[in-house]
Amino acid sequence: GQQLNQSPQSMFIQEGEDVSMNCTSSSIFNTWLWYKQDPGEGPVLLIALYKAGELTSNGRLTAQFGITRKDSFLNISASIPSDVGIYFCAGQETGGGADGLTFGKGTHLIIQP
Amino acid sequence: GAGVSQSPSNKVTEKGKDVELRCDPISGHTALYWYRQSLGQGLEFLIYFQGNSAPDKSGLPSDRFSAERTGGSVSTLTIQRTQQEDSAVYLCASSREWADTEAFFGQGTRLTVV
């Protein structure tokens, strides 16, 4: 099956810094999703991308669907304490439901005040 | 309901016992998914339902795992004769329909087998 590499595994940053994380896949994806998971909670969808080259923003978050269709990145600008959590990318090769999603192992974001 | 609801939030069970995990999807969502999340890992897909039917059960780790959905709503994931390696967070998600990739997750059930 497809492999999805998410990096970095963890990030220790200062409040106010910008953050960048990315995912790469071994195969072409048609959909990229980015989720955030707080401790003790389920993942919450942040941004969904459906088209190669697509750049989408959600507040301080910006995500892009790579033009090769094998990668995606998520940027967070001017980080704040509530950005702490684990960020997951997820990709899907073909159309269909969430059962076809492959998830990255997550980027653990830690913000030092 | 307003969101996906799972119960219990936490479950500690003895090895060899059976457990039932419940998921209440968002009202009107026809597709329901079960995932397993082990420590430091991504989400492992287990099974999905379209209505009350589960077209693909190949993601279930063993025959000790089963799931059902009734009335196109509530789903139950059952693990029989639990083993320590079953310890994980079990997440349920739902979407409006199967073709809708944007799934909404519940808070999960943290299962600990001792």
Side-chain angles (χ1 to χ4, degrees):
Chain A
Q2 60 270 34
Q3 295 183 359
L4 205 160
N5 295 309
Q6 184 170 352
S7 65
Q9 282 188 315
S10 58
M11 302 182 73
F12 295 80
I13 64 167
Q14 300 285 330
E15 183 178 349
E17 286 185 26
D18 295 344
V19 171
S20 184
M21 60 191 79
N22 69 85
C23 279
T24 58
S25 69
S26 57
S27 53
I28 290 174
F29 281 167
N30 284 333
T31 302
W32 282 100
L33 305 174
W34 284 93
Y35 285 87
K36 183 194 177 202
Q37 187 174 26
D38 292 328
E41 301 292 328
V44 173
L45 182 64
L46 300 174
I47 293 178
L49 302 161
Y50 298 102
K51 190 175 176 182
E54 181 180 357
L55 185 71
T56 298
S57 293
N58 178 5
R60 293 177 297 104
L61 278 61
T62 302
Q64 183 158 31
F65 193 143
I67 56 173
T68 65
R69 295 168 63 192
K70 290 187 175 183
D71 62 343
S72 177
F73 71 74
L74 175 71
N75 286 346
I76 305 172
S77 63
S79 58
I80 60 177
S82 61
D83 292 334
V84 165
I86 303 176
Y87 292 80
F88 290 100
C89 63
Q92 188 176 60
E93 285 188 73
T94 60
D99 55 295
L101 289 172
T102 300
F103 284 83
K105 293 189 176 180
T107 294
H108 195 173
L109 180 61
I110 299 161
I111 298 177
Q112 299 158 336
Chain B
V4 178
S5 178
Q6 291 186 247
S7 60
S9 297
N10 285 283
K11 176 72 176 178
V12 180
T13 190
E14 290 182 353
K15 178 181 171 181
K17 301 275 190 184
D18 298 351
V19 294
E20 282 190 354
L21 312 180
R22 176 188 167 109
C23 173
D24 221 321
I26 293 173
S27 179
H29 280 196
T30 61
L32 185 149
Y33 309 86
W34 283 98
Y35 294 86
R36 179 168 69 176
Q37 184 177 30
S38 301
L39 189 64
Q41 300 296 312
L43 277 64
E44 174 191 4
F45 169 74
L46 299 178
I47 190 171
Y48 85 95
F49 289 88
Q50 180 61 14
N52 292 332
S53 300
D56 182 7
K57 300 181 180 179
S58 62
L60 295 175
S62 76
D63 58 8
R64 296 185 294 104
F65 287 71
S66 63
E68 65 174 15
R69 188 180 185 194
T70 56
S73 181
V74 173
S75 175
T76 303
L77 177 69
T78 301
I79 309 173
Q80 295 178 308
R81 305 181 302 281
T82 52
Q83 303 294 313
Q84 288 187 327
E85 62 262 27
D86 299 334
S87 297
V89 175
Y90 290 83
L91 290 162
C92 174
S94 70
S95 61
R96 282 173 297 185
E97 54 185 15
W98 176 74
D100 188 353
T101 310
E102 296 179 26
F104 296 86
F105 284 84
Q107 84 280 12
T109 293
R110 180 174 295 279
L111 175 66
T112 303
V113 182
V114 297

